[in-house]
Amino acid sequence: MSASHADAVTFSDLSRNPRAVAERAARLGRVRVTHRDAPDFYLTAADREDQRNQTLATASRLFLALIKHDPTARTLVIAMPEVFPWVRHLSSDELRAFTLELVEALSDAAELDVDSTAQGVIASWRATARIKADPARYAEARKATSGDFGQVQVSA
C-alpha cells in the first residue's frame, strides 16, 4: 500500500485491498484515505467514533452546566485567552458573547452532529479580533456607510 503519511492510504489501496486497509484502521484506530479527485476521508471503527462523540457530548454538557451555574461564564472567560490568545483584542462583553456562542456551537456539534458551526464561530470572532488589533482597519470599519454596495460575493 502506498501512503504519504503513516496513517494514510490511497483510495486505490482501499479499492484493491479493503481487508488490509480495514485491519490497518482497526490497529491504528483510523486511517486517512486520500483521493486524487475528491476530499480525503477517514476510515475508523464505529466504536471509536462512538467514543469520540460521547467525549464531545460530555465536554459540551460540562461547559453548558458551568454557564448555567455562572451566567457570566467567568471560569470559561478566564480560560479563553489560553486557548485563543487573540481574544485580548475583544472587549469584555465581546469575550463573554464569544464564549457563550462557542459553547452553544459545541453543544450543537455534540447533540445535533452539526460540526461546522463551532469552526465558523471561531473564524468570525477571530476576524473581529484581527480588525480590532489594527487601529487603522478598525477605524475604517467603524465609519458610517451609505448606498448599495451591490451583491455580496460569498466564497466557500
Side-chain angles (χ1 to χ4, degrees):
M1 284 185 271
S2 61
S4 59
H5 299 88
D7 62 346
V9 298
T10 66
F11 189 79
S12 297
D13 293 333
L14 177 60
S15 297
R16 284 192 303 266
N17 200 345
R19 173 174 275 167
V21 172
E23 288 171 357
R24 185 173 185 178
R27 187 176 69 254
L28 296 174
R30 72 179 185 173
V31 293
R32 184 180 197 126
V33 179
T34 61
H35 195 286
R36 183 177 40 228
D37 300 324
D40 294 354
F41 65 92
Y42 284 100
L43 180 63
T44 187
D47 62 341
R48 179 181 169 139
E49 189 64 21
D50 291 344
Q51 289 172 348
R52 288 178 87 115
N53 289 341
Q54 193 58 38
T55 299
L56 177 58
T58 300
S60 75
R61 288 177 185 147
L62 178 63
F63 292 143
L64 283 172
L66 283 171
I67 287 179
K68 181 179 177 183
H69 294 287
D70 178 10
T72 64
R74 189 178 186 302
T75 304
L76 293 175
V77 167
I78 290 169
M80 291 295 276
E82 288 186 42
V83 180
F84 306 103
W86 45 263
V87 299
R88 69 183 178 278
H89 299 290
L90 302 177
S91 70
S92 296
D93 288 341
E94 290 169 331
L95 179 54
R96 279 192 295 281
F98 169 43
T99 303
L100 179 60
E101 196 174 337
L102 180 58
V103 168
E104 289 172 342
L106 291 172
S107 176
D108 288 347
E111 305 295 337
L112 304 173
D113 288 328
V114 180
D115 294 324
S116 61
T117 306
Q119 293 308 310
V121 168
I122 294 167
S124 296
W125 281 102
R126 182 180 290 152
T128 299
R130 184 178 298 119
I131 289 172
K132 292 185 83 173
D134 181 340
R137 287 177 71 190
Y138 187 53
E140 184 67 28
R142 293 178 49 91
K143 285 183 181 176
T145 60
S146 63
D148 184 351
F149 294 98
Q151 189 172 4
V152 174
Q153 298 294 322
V154 178
S155 60

